[in-house]
Amino acid sequence: AEYMGALVRKFRHAQHKMDLSYEELHDQEFELLVVGTGLVECMVAAATACAGKKVIHIDEREYYGARNATLSVSDLREATTAKSDVKASLQAPSKSISVKLGHELENFQETWHSEPFDLRRYYIDKRPQLMLCRSEMSDLMLRAGTAQYQQFQTLDNVLVWHQERFVKVPCSKNDVFTSPVLSLTEKRMLMRFMTQLGVATRAPQSTRIEDTDNDVVGLDDSRRMPEIFDSSESFVAFLKRQQLSDNLSAFIMYALALVDTDQTTPSAPIETLLSAREGLHRVRQLLCSLGRFGNTPFLCSMYGVGEFCQAFARLAAVFGTVYLLRYRVDYINTTREEKGHEVVDTHGNRFFAKNVLIGDTIVPPPASVASDPETNSSQMFIDRWVGVTSTSFSVPGQDAPNAMDCLLLVVPPRALGNTHPIHLLQFSPKIEVCPQGHFVVHASTRRSDSEPPFDWDSFRNQLFTLQQEGAAEPSSSPSKPVLLWNCTFTETVTTSNTASNLVVDHEEIATIWKDVPCASNVMIDESVSVTEQLFRKVVPSAENFFPERPREDADAEEEDILEATVEAAMSAATVTTTTSDETAQTTTGNEASVTPAATSVIPENSTEIATPNDALQQPTDVSGETQRESE
């Protein structure tokens, strides 16, 4: 309580200073203005601030995250109808952008399958995503220092729908040889495939596939497989050429590469087919992540995916970024003056920004901007389903119930009447998004504008038991979770192959960009490449993208704030040190328990900041020093 009180006082002080700075913004000059607090926007702001540039980051919403936010159910309802009421100023120049919120979520509907209960303790991700244990995102968080602002939970299992049931995805050598759904021939084929990728025996030092036409890096730079694929070959064609069975190809494509679209239909558009290079990179990256932090290759963020945005926003604030929530801009002048683009807010204050990044959920009028000719943009829809269950999914032969708390489940195309793969994420109270005894299940599938919305009712009836049925006969379908409540909504996404899909229609170098969301439906790691492209546009002379941050210097301010509360909490724990032949006894109030699977991604050579809970959870030192002296 003392720790949280110190943080509240700190943020109230910061908010007071922020309120006083509205008028002080007048005529100030910034290197970058970021509109919207989505993940890519927060990462670009943090990277630019770390490079020593002056940044201002604003959002009309009352929360961080935009498309990547974690919200309560009531806030999620409001997000489906949220729309900016800011009207364009009559005094705005002819070449200007009026910034307003767009409809990112639509068609929200909810259904109760039990007696209504309080939903305020349930937190829903707008876009639930996972992070690979060994990836560009995890490496970047360690390098930049944002990992210390988050806690992670390892995913317990990865399952795939096969022959009317969920089975464990064979990722490791042990999984391959013990899998009950693969024949002996398929097991040998899969082991040969993993050996070719160079990940079957030990973890690699790199997670990248080299940018050569015919070489794939294996365990190290000296081990290569020449001419494994053609540069223009699709992933499905490559797997077919490897003479893999249809069953095994589906495992690799949808459960390991996590492809979002149907790849096996002959009529599938060629632009939706995954390239062999990208498919092999995805499979190798997933397999390389095994064993780093747990038995599965994925990490999920405690308290929801919105914590990623807050972590990078916190890093940007440490390096001097000005943050303004509930802040509305009247217009942005697209004509760049000597000081930069003129920005006028609804309070009449004016400041200048040399570069402007507009979030993907912000809608500037198309008349003032032009599409980048090098950008290949397209619009798609993601149909989402969120449910609250009282039981978890189960797998025959799984003895440990706690191994089925946080799950990734994949349903291949046409398995449940779906055109494209369905990805399900089940989260438990271990990541603090729901109360004990319940689970939050996210399901999503993408579609084009020419395809009809997915029938979630049929999906629900095949995978879940309704509360009424479960109450009458709770053990009739032990493998089906009991559904209590669910909602559905649709997310509209404009994808692109490049980082900037809007540029100023001007002869000079473009300095206004609009971020585009990543096409991946499950993985958060693809945000790194888009962020680096945008950062290089803002700071082209920068040597490093997120240089390694010395932890002790960066955390000096926070350590000063927490020093008093940590010492007070440790003093509150009564530690009795006895002689060597006596037993040391420690008396505390309510001792907190430590979740063994919870993972804090901290560099090995760093020192983690202690919190009051840490002080109470550490074992007593009976070797002659008290716990306080040891700390």
Short mmCIF file of all heavy atoms in Angstrom, two decimals, residues 444-466:
data_model
loop_
_atom_site.label_atom_id
_atom_site.label_comp_id
_atom_site.label_asym_id
_atom_site.label_seq_id
_atom_site.Cartn_x
_atom_site.Cartn_y
_atom_site.Cartn_z
N SER A 444 -10.12 -15.22 -32.54
CA SER A 444 -10.12 -14.25 -33.65
C SER A 444 -9.81 -14.96 -34.95
O SER A 444 -9.08 -15.95 -35.00
CB SER A 444 -9.08 -13.15 -33.39
OG SER A 444 -7.79 -13.71 -33.21
N THR A 445 -10.40 -14.44 -36.01
CA THR A 445 -10.12 -14.91 -37.36
C THR A 445 -10.28 -13.74 -38.31
O THR A 445 -11.13 -12.87 -38.11
CB THR A 445 -11.07 -16.07 -37.76
OG1 THR A 445 -10.73 -16.55 -39.06
CG2 THR A 445 -12.52 -15.63 -37.76
N ARG A 446 -9.48 -13.69 -39.32
CA ARG A 446 -9.50 -12.56 -40.23
C ARG A 446 -10.30 -12.90 -41.49
O ARG A 446 -10.50 -14.07 -41.82
CB ARG A 446 -8.07 -12.15 -40.61
CG ARG A 446 -7.25 -13.23 -41.28
CD ARG A 446 -5.81 -12.82 -41.47
NE ARG A 446 -5.68 -11.73 -42.43
CZ ARG A 446 -4.52 -11.14 -42.71
NH1 ARG A 446 -3.41 -11.52 -42.10
NH2 ARG A 446 -4.45 -10.18 -43.60
N ARG A 447 -10.71 -11.86 -42.19
CA ARG A 447 -11.45 -12.04 -43.44
C ARG A 447 -11.26 -10.79 -44.29
O ARG A 447 -10.91 -9.71 -43.79
CB ARG A 447 -12.94 -12.26 -43.17
CG ARG A 447 -13.63 -11.13 -42.43
CD ARG A 447 -15.10 -11.40 -42.18
NE ARG A 447 -15.72 -10.41 -41.31
CZ ARG A 447 -16.28 -9.29 -41.74
NH1 ARG A 447 -16.27 -9.00 -43.05
NH2 ARG A 447 -16.83 -8.43 -40.89
N SER A 448 -11.52 -10.93 -45.56
CA SER A 448 -11.46 -9.79 -46.47
C SER A 448 -12.82 -9.11 -46.51
O SER A 448 -13.81 -9.61 -45.97
CB SER A 448 -11.05 -10.25 -47.87
OG SER A 448 -12.04 -11.11 -48.41
N ASP A 449 -12.86 -7.94 -47.17
CA ASP A 449 -14.13 -7.21 -47.23
C ASP A 449 -15.16 -7.92 -48.10
O ASP A 449 -16.35 -7.60 -48.02
CB ASP A 449 -13.89 -5.79 -47.75
CG ASP A 449 -13.12 -5.78 -49.06
OD1 ASP A 449 -12.78 -6.88 -49.55
OD2 ASP A 449 -12.85 -4.70 -49.59
N SER A 450 -14.73 -8.88 -48.91
CA SER A 450 -15.67 -9.61 -49.76
C SER A 450 -16.22 -10.87 -49.10
O SER A 450 -17.09 -11.53 -49.66
CB SER A 450 -14.99 -10.00 -51.08
OG SER A 450 -13.87 -10.85 -50.84
N GLU A 451 -15.72 -11.22 -47.91
CA GLU A 451 -16.15 -12.42 -47.22
C GLU A 451 -17.14 -12.07 -46.11
O GLU A 451 -17.02 -11.01 -45.48
CB GLU A 451 -14.93 -13.15 -46.61
CG GLU A 451 -13.98 -13.68 -47.66
CD GLU A 451 -12.72 -14.25 -47.04
OE1 GLU A 451 -12.30 -13.73 -45.98
OE2 GLU A 451 -12.13 -15.18 -47.61
N PRO A 452 -18.11 -12.93 -45.84
CA PRO A 452 -19.11 -12.64 -44.80
C PRO A 452 -18.50 -12.79 -43.42
O PRO A 452 -17.49 -13.48 -43.23
CB PRO A 452 -20.19 -13.69 -45.05
CG PRO A 452 -19.45 -14.84 -45.67
CD PRO A 452 -18.36 -14.23 -46.51
N PRO A 453 -19.10 -12.15 -42.39
CA PRO A 453 -18.63 -12.33 -41.01
C PRO A 453 -18.72 -13.78 -40.57
O PRO A 453 -19.57 -14.54 -41.03
CB PRO A 453 -19.57 -11.43 -40.20
CG PRO A 453 -20.11 -10.44 -41.19
CD PRO A 453 -20.19 -11.18 -42.50
N PHE A 454 -17.84 -14.17 -39.68
CA PHE A 454 -17.79 -15.55 -39.21
C PHE A 454 -18.96 -15.82 -38.27
O PHE A 454 -19.36 -14.97 -37.47
CB PHE A 454 -16.46 -15.82 -38.50
CG PHE A 454 -16.30 -17.22 -38.01
CD1 PHE A 454 -16.23 -18.29 -38.91
CD2 PHE A 454 -16.26 -17.50 -36.65
CE1 PHE A 454 -16.09 -19.59 -38.45
CE2 PHE A 454 -16.12 -18.79 -36.19
CZ PHE A 454 -16.03 -19.85 -37.09
N ASP A 455 -19.49 -17.04 -38.34
CA ASP A 455 -20.61 -17.46 -37.51
C ASP A 455 -20.08 -17.94 -36.16
O ASP A 455 -19.69 -19.10 -35.99
CB ASP A 455 -21.40 -18.57 -38.20
CG ASP A 455 -22.61 -19.02 -37.39
OD1 ASP A 455 -22.95 -18.31 -36.42
OD2 ASP A 455 -23.20 -20.06 -37.72
N TRP A 456 -20.05 -17.03 -35.17
CA TRP A 456 -19.52 -17.38 -33.86
C TRP A 456 -20.46 -18.30 -33.08
O TRP A 456 -20.01 -19.01 -32.17
CB TRP A 456 -19.24 -16.12 -33.06
CG TRP A 456 -18.05 -15.34 -33.55
CD1 TRP A 456 -18.04 -14.09 -34.07
CD2 TRP A 456 -16.68 -15.77 -33.54
NE1 TRP A 456 -16.77 -13.70 -34.40
CE2 TRP A 456 -15.90 -14.72 -34.09
CE3 TRP A 456 -16.03 -16.94 -33.15
CZ2 TRP A 456 -14.53 -14.80 -34.23
CZ3 TRP A 456 -14.65 -17.01 -33.29
CH2 TRP A 456 -13.91 -15.96 -33.83
N ASP A 457 -21.74 -18.32 -33.40
CA ASP A 457 -22.67 -19.19 -32.69
C ASP A 457 -22.33 -20.66 -32.91
O ASP A 457 -22.33 -21.47 -31.98
CB ASP A 457 -24.10 -18.91 -33.13
CG ASP A 457 -24.59 -17.55 -32.65
OD1 ASP A 457 -24.01 -17.02 -31.69
OD2 ASP A 457 -25.55 -17.02 -33.25
N SER A 458 -22.04 -21.02 -34.15
CA SER A 458 -21.66 -22.40 -34.45
C SER A 458 -20.34 -22.76 -33.76
O SER A 458 -20.18 -23.85 -33.22
CB SER A 458 -21.54 -22.59 -35.96
OG SER A 458 -21.07 -23.88 -36.28
N PHE A 459 -19.40 -21.84 -33.78
CA PHE A 459 -18.11 -22.04 -33.10
C PHE A 459 -18.32 -22.27 -31.60
O PHE A 459 -17.75 -23.19 -31.01
CB PHE A 459 -17.23 -20.81 -33.35
CG PHE A 459 -16.11 -20.61 -32.39
CD1 PHE A 459 -14.88 -21.22 -32.58
CD2 PHE A 459 -16.27 -19.78 -31.27
CE1 PHE A 459 -13.84 -21.02 -31.68
CE2 PHE A 459 -15.24 -19.58 -30.38
CZ PHE A 459 -14.03 -20.21 -30.58
N ARG A 460 -19.17 -21.44 -31.00
CA ARG A 460 -19.43 -21.55 -29.56
C ARG A 460 -20.06 -22.89 -29.21
O ARG A 460 -19.68 -23.53 -28.21
CB ARG A 460 -20.35 -20.41 -29.15
CG ARG A 460 -20.76 -20.38 -27.68
CD ARG A 460 -21.94 -19.43 -27.49
NE ARG A 460 -23.12 -19.92 -28.21
CZ ARG A 460 -24.17 -19.16 -28.48
NH1 ARG A 460 -24.20 -17.89 -28.12
NH2 ARG A 460 -25.21 -19.68 -29.13
N ASN A 461 -21.00 -23.34 -30.01
CA ASN A 461 -21.70 -24.58 -29.70
C ASN A 461 -20.80 -25.81 -29.85
O ASN A 461 -21.03 -26.83 -29.19
CB ASN A 461 -22.92 -24.73 -30.61
CG ASN A 461 -23.97 -23.66 -30.34
OD1 ASN A 461 -24.05 -23.13 -29.25
ND2 ASN A 461 -24.75 -23.34 -31.37
N GLN A 462 -19.78 -25.73 -30.70
CA GLN A 462 -18.91 -26.88 -30.90
C GLN A 462 -17.80 -26.98 -29.86
O GLN A 462 -17.33 -28.07 -29.56
CB GLN A 462 -18.28 -26.82 -32.31
CG GLN A 462 -19.29 -26.99 -33.43
CD GLN A 462 -18.62 -27.01 -34.79
OE1 GLN A 462 -17.95 -27.98 -35.16
NE2 GLN A 462 -18.80 -25.94 -35.56
N LEU A 463 -17.37 -25.84 -29.31
CA LEU A 463 -16.21 -25.85 -28.41
C LEU A 463 -16.57 -25.66 -26.94
O LEU A 463 -15.74 -25.93 -26.07
CB LEU A 463 -15.21 -24.78 -28.81
CG LEU A 463 -14.48 -24.98 -30.14
CD1 LEU A 463 -13.40 -23.92 -30.31
CD2 LEU A 463 -13.86 -26.36 -30.22
N PHE A 464 -17.77 -25.18 -26.64
CA PHE A 464 -18.10 -24.83 -25.26
C PHE A 464 -19.40 -25.50 -24.83
O PHE A 464 -20.25 -25.84 -25.64
CB PHE A 464 -18.22 -23.31 -25.09
CG PHE A 464 -16.96 -22.56 -25.38
CD1 PHE A 464 -16.68 -22.11 -26.66
CD2 PHE A 464 -16.04 -22.31 -24.37
CE1 PHE A 464 -15.51 -21.43 -26.93
CE2 PHE A 464 -14.87 -21.62 -24.64
CZ PHE A 464 -14.60 -21.19 -25.92
N THR A 465 -19.52 -25.65 -23.52
CA THR A 465 -20.76 -26.09 -22.90
C THR A 465 -21.40 -24.88 -22.23
O THR A 465 -20.74 -24.18 -21.46
CB THR A 465 -20.50 -27.19 -21.86
OG1 THR A 465 -19.90 -28.31 -22.51
CG2 THR A 465 -21.80 -27.62 -21.20
N LEU A 466 -22.66 -24.63 -22.52
CA LEU A 466 -23.33 -23.49 -21.91
C LEU A 466 -23.60 -23.77 -20.44
O LEU A 466 -23.69 -24.93 -20.01
CB LEU A 466 -24.64 -23.19 -22.64
CG LEU A 466 -24.50 -22.87 -24.14
CD1 LEU A 466 -25.83 -22.44 -24.71
CD2 LEU A 466 -23.44 -21.80 -24.38
#
